[in-house]
Amino acid sequence: MLTLIIRATIIYLLVLLVFRLMGKRQIGQMQPFELVLTLIIADLATIPMAEAAVPIMHGIVPLLTLVVVHYFLTIISMKNTAVSQFISGKPIIVVNPNGIDFKALQKLAITIDDLFESMRALGYFDLKEIQYAIMETNGALSILPKSAFSPVENRSLKLDVEESQIPISLVAGGKVMKENLEKTKLSLSDIEEIMKKADIESIKDVLILSINKTGNIYVQSKGQPYKTFDINYKGENLT
Amino acid sequence: MNNRFLYILVIIVLLAGVCVWEQVMAETYLSTMEEKVYDIIDVVEGKENINTEEIYELVEDMEKEWDSYELSFCFLVNYKDIEDIGIEITKMKIYIVENALTDFKASLAQILYFTDSYRQVMGIALDNIL
């Protein structure tokens, strides 16, 4: 049993390494060949884990080989468009200003129902709203709406709005994020002040406490609704 | 040269090392086993009584050698695929005690057959790839 535990640990660490080397793509962003590769890796990893008679090398060698092949295939794809298109295919326009391109649907082997499902998922329920719909190589649908149905932008309304800010977490899960605290040039006493304002007694009770460049605080203690308020903070040090 | 490329380079070297290690190990160990079998065949040739200390020691020596080889092979080959030689050697020791010359010779032939087939399985050949 100890052998299996050690083997499982080794394979787990190896699979972690393999996925780190493959990049950070999410399942939904994967190209079809990457999804297949992931399934193969999962299958390969289980063999030496479950059977003690099979050497662990029978799992390690194919796993590492796949990593190497995938690496070079990705490099070649990045440098050569033809290879990239051969491996991943190319985006195909399925809806154009004239309506649905039926030939494109046939080529992609998707039905009109599938197309409507993808459209609805993106918030488009009527074909009239769509100027172009493009089926991406990872199977996701991208839509360019007709100008009349495009969302209104602040720019169009000539509104002068402040740039969005990324809030910095100062406390998460009851623990002070010292690195972030240094970035904001705030101190523990400032945090205690904020907590007092939010009626929170102990740092351990804080689920999340964040601040943005304008000094807006978002704080929530465990089991309580969140509170938000402004403090006198200029945020020159926030990057 | 980025980090990822370095990792890939290390993996390639590692894979190449494993391949060379397997080939060298298979060739060296299996050849040694074959030599040992031929040595025993030479000693047994023309004898009617195999229940001698000399033959027993030769077989024991072969068993010790194979045990150490088997440990190394286990890193690369499924243990169940290479246990046949060990089984045959165990049988040979019983045949010596029982003076079963025909069975003893059959076991020697079996070991030669197994070493040959292991070499074929472990070697890089088109038929293995396909």
Side-chain angles (χ1 to χ4, degrees):
Chain A
M1 272 306 139
L2 186 64
T3 316
L4 288 180
I5 293 169
I6 296 167
R7 275 166 169 252
T9 312
I10 294 171
I11 293 288
Y12 171 73
L13 294 174
L14 185 76
V15 171
L16 266 187
L17 175 80
V18 165
F19 280 113
R20 290 285 293 130
L21 286 175
M22 274 174 61
K24 281 188 174 178
R25 289 204 201 201
Q26 302 294 313
I27 297 281
Q29 298 172 316
M30 281 182 180
Q31 298 294 338
F33 82 99
E34 287 173 323
L35 185 65
V36 172
L37 190 68
T38 309
L39 295 175
I40 296 173
I41 286 172
D43 197 38
L44 277 173
T46 55
I47 302 168
M49 247 198 251
E51 274 195 59
V54 177
I56 202 162
M57 286 297 219
H58 277 204
I60 293 174
V61 170
L63 273 175
L64 294 181
T65 308
L66 287 177
V67 172
V68 173
V69 174
H70 179 71
Y71 176 79
F72 285 110
L73 208 61
T74 312
I75 295 278
I76 295 168
S77 301
M78 278 159 64
K79 299 204 168 178
N80 191 317
T81 321
V83 175
S84 168
Q85 283 184 1
F86 177 74
I87 294 168
S88 308
K90 54 181 177 180
I92 292 175
I93 296 172
V94 285
V95 179
N96 57 36
N98 295 325
I100 297 170
D101 185 340
F102 186 65
K103 275 187 184 168
L105 288 189
Q106 277 186 320
K107 201 173 168 186
L108 289 163
I110 57 169
T111 63
I112 290 183
D113 286 339
D114 295 334
L115 176 67
F116 274 96
E117 196 179 313
S118 302
M119 276 167 47
R120 286 194 298 271
L122 293 168
Y124 295 92
F125 288 79
D126 195 337
L127 267 172
K128 280 185 290 185
E129 299 172 26
I130 298 170
Q131 181 80 349
Y132 284 102
I134 301 163
M135 189 58 80
E136 304 293 354
T137 53
N138 61 6
L141 191 73
S142 301
I143 288 176
L144 177 71
K146 286 185 174 156
S147 304
F149 298 96
S150 298
V152 179
E153 292 172 1
N154 292 328
R155 190 179 47 167
S156 324
L157 298 172
K158 295 195 171 116
L159 287 175
D160 190 20
V161 287
E162 262 184 31
E163 279 302 326
S164 305
Q165 304 294 335
I166 297 173
I168 291 191
S169 303
L170 299 176
V171 182
K175 284 186 181 149
V176 177
M177 319 277 282
K178 284 180 183 162
E179 204 178 310
N180 290 352
L181 200 63
E182 278 171 26
K183 269 188 200 169
T184 56
K185 295 272 164 89
L186 289 171
S187 62
L188 273 173
S189 58
D190 292 324
I191 289 185
E192 280 164 9
E193 198 69 37
I194 293 166
M195 281 166 49
K196 205 182 275 178
K197 212 172 170 182
D199 287 331
I200 301 170
E201 282 179 9
S202 165
I203 284 184
K204 281 180 188 168
D205 297 331
V206 179
L207 194 64
I208 183 76
L209 193 165
S210 66
I211 186 169
N212 73 6
K213 212 172 177 177
T214 59
N216 183 259
I217 298 286
Y218 180 101
V219 60
Q220 185 176 4
S221 63
K222 291 171 188 169
Q224 296 295 318
Y226 77 90
K227 287 177 184 168
T228 180
F229 50 86
D230 291 325
I231 61 163
N232 188 18
Y233 175 69
K234 296 294 172 204
E236 296 90 1
N237 303 306
L238 288 183
T239 49
Chain B
M1 204 188 295
N2 61 21
N3 268 354
R4 192 176 288 189
F5 181 72
L6 267 177
Y7 279 124
I8 296 294
L9 207 65
V10 170
I11 291 173
I12 292 172
V13 172
L14 202 81
L15 289 174
V18 171
C19 291
V20 172
W21 179 34
E22 186 188 29
Q23 288 304 301
V24 170
M25 196 169 70
E27 197 45 55
T28 316
Y29 293 176
L30 294 175
S31 299
T32 311
M33 282 307 289
E34 279 173 350
E35 277 168 25
K36 289 204 174 288
V37 170
Y38 285 122
D39 284 348
I40 296 173
I41 289 173
D42 285 344
V43 172
V44 170
E45 198 63 52
K47 282 188 180 168
E48 282 187 10
N49 179 24
I50 55 164
N51 191 358
T52 65
E53 205 161 307
E54 184 197 7
I55 295 171
Y56 196 85
E57 271 174 18
L58 280 172
V59 173
E60 276 226 310
D61 177 50
M62 184 163 72
E63 189 180 32
K64 266 186 203 163
E65 201 88 17
W66 177 246
D67 283 346
S68 64
Y69 294 167
E70 209 173 26
L71 280 176
S72 306
F73 273 128
C74 282
F75 283 107
L76 301 170
V77 191
N78 190 333
Y79 175 73
K80 285 176 187 165
D81 292 342
I82 52 163
E83 63 184 358
D84 305 310
I85 290 184
I87 293 169
E88 283 309 316
I89 294 172
T90 311
K91 280 185 195 168
M92 280 165 69
K93 285 165 86 177
I94 298 164
Y95 297 148
I96 291 171
V97 176
E98 289 178 352
N99 199 22
L101 183 61
T102 316
D103 292 332
F104 186 79
K105 282 182 175 174
S107 282
L108 286 170
Q110 287 254 50
I111 293 174
L112 284 177
Y113 171 79
F114 288 137
T115 51
D116 193 42
S117 54
Y118 293 170
R119 189 178 281 123
Q120 279 178 29
V121 170
M122 290 177 204
I124 300 166
L126 188 65
D127 44 342
N128 281 346
I129 294 168
L130 298 176

